Amino acid sequence: MISITLTLLCLQALMHWSSTVHEANRRFRDHKDNFYRSFQQHLDQSRGDGASLTLALRPDGSVDSALLQRICGQLASSTWARAELVITRGKYPGRLACGSNTRQALAPQDVLNTQQLAHARQPQPGPASTRQARQGQDPVLEWLYPLPHAAGAPLPGFARLHYRLQSGIDAAVRSQPDHGEYALDEGNPLVPDDRNDAYPPAPLLQSAHWPPGRYSVDVLPGVQWLPPWSTHWDNLDYTTSSGQPYRLTLFARSPLQNWLEIVPAAVIVMVLFTALSIVVVIMTWTLLRTRQRLRRAADSRRRRLARRARELKQAQEEQQLLEAALLDTSEREKQRLGSELHDGAGQSLTAARLLADSLASTLQPLPPALGALQSCLQQAVNEVRLGARGLTPAPLLEDGLEPALQALASQHEGSGVSVALQVCDTPPKLSAEARLHVYRIAQEAINNAIRHGQASQVTLALGQAPLLTVQDNGCGFDPAGVSHGIGLRSQQLRAGLLGRSLQLLTEPGRGTTVCLA
């Protein structure tokens, strides 16, 4: 319960901390985007305003000084550090600057700039654009505007304006007061140094609280946890009149410490999370060990069960072989006894009956005792023959299973028990050994019905499925209360050797049904 409570507290603290950081990061990104957009808009607008200087140029190439000064008066001094027209061709070459009516001589750089702007149609940054910060100087971006001229005619000159980069930053700050900290650099490769120190190292412009120095904060003594600042940047790339690239990189920062609001709470969350992680690792390790032990125990038990199953199967196979051998031996012994009974006692009784018949033919009148002797001898001969036929049914089975079962049923004629055979369907073809097993099952079922069930009527049914059914109207019995004897066990064994099953259906007073399916 304590572990669950601790887990829920940690999750709640982490979710609150994560949502706080996410929301602060979203706000900062929105402010940063608006800050960059305002800077870009101010720069583009000022560049368009500077192009108005070209309106002071007359068609003959001279400059309307009064109009030039009025245009200069409309340009904000906070935006432009310098503005002038440079005429390099015609009758009036020279430079006319805002705030001065004196025409100044051309400099070699002016001629070079004119050559570089010969095919330009849009204003381009000039070589005087600030490349690095200088003490006491405002960083500027020099714009060179080619003067209008006819197609194919040489460029008459250009307008030169020095744009104060600080004015763009100020406009961006006014439009987005909650901007964090900013810095403006030129040509920054945007690659931090090895110590992840603040960049740019020496920007052209930066806010009063632009935080240089390390990127990490010590939450605990000697432990660096989070970078104290989130820094974003954007680039403005231009191609100067000389063909060299000029890149302005605008940086914006927001302190992560303000996002977290309560640093000790974050530390507590991390400690709780670490403790929970340790508990989870220990529990996982314990569960894995337990799982391995259970798996090894299950594998060991599975191997033991498999070994015992193999041993049991082998024992069952050996038992089946032994029982089959016993049945074979018993069958051979029955055949031997039947042959001896038929050839020995049967022949002797037949000879005695013949002698009695011969004596009866010589004695007149016939003594009553001799007639009784003849009847006893004839009855003994019949019983011996019947017994020999039951012990040795092989000659009967040579003609098929149906004639053999019919002969088995006819053996009980005159005994007070009616045994009938019904052939429901053409029985399948069976081998001699299989026919013998079916015959023995039927013989045992009839004997049990007469001897134990005291049945007066027994019906044999021979077909396809089931193969054999023996049904009687005897007294029946309770299978659960009677132990199976040798006869039933012999029937089940013979059914197993045939690949079939033997079913015994009986209950007290309802007779018995033996089904070989």
Side-chain angles (χ1 to χ4, degrees), residues 281-292:
V281 169
I282 294 175
M283 293 180 62
T284 304
W285 180 80
T286 304
L287 290 176
L288 290 176
R289 289 291 302 274
T290 305
R291 181 181 179 183
Q292 291 177 354

Side-chain angles (χ1 to χ4, degrees), residues 369-428:
L370 183 58
L373 178 62
Q374 285 179 312
S375 298
C376 288
L377 289 174
Q378 184 61 41
Q379 184 179 358
V381 170
N382 293 336
E383 289 179 355
V384 168
R385 287 178 179 176
L386 184 61
R389 187 179 301 173
L391 291 173
T392 311
L396 298 174
L397 294 172
E398 291 178 357
D399 297 332
L401 183 59
E402 182 180 349
L405 292 178
Q406 187 64 53
L408 178 63
S410 63
Q411 291 179 4
H412 299 277
E413 294 178 357
S415 63
V417 178
S418 174
V419 180
L421 174 65
Q422 297 178 357
V423 180
C424 302
D425 197 0
T426 303

Side-chain angles (χ1 to χ4, degrees), residues 34 37 74 81 189 192 210 294 321 357 381 436 447 488 504 517:
N34 294 332
R37 192 179 302 111
Q74 296 175 359
W210 174 262
L294 292 177
L321 292 175
D357 291 344
V381 170
L436 177 60
N447 293 336
L488 182 58
L504 182 64

Side-chain angles (χ1 to χ4, degrees), residues 5 33 50 94 122 124 163 212 252 300 343 465 487 499:
T5 304
D33 292 339
Q122 298 295 330
Q124 297 182 2
Y163 172 75
S300 177
D343 298 337

Side-chain angles (χ1 to χ4, degrees), residues 11 34 36 38 61 165 213 216 241 339 362 387 399 406 410 462 511 517:
L11 290 177
N34 294 332
Y36 292 160
S38 299
L165 292 174
S216 57
S241 57
S339 298
T362 58
D399 297 332
Q406 187 64 53
S410 63
L462 186 64

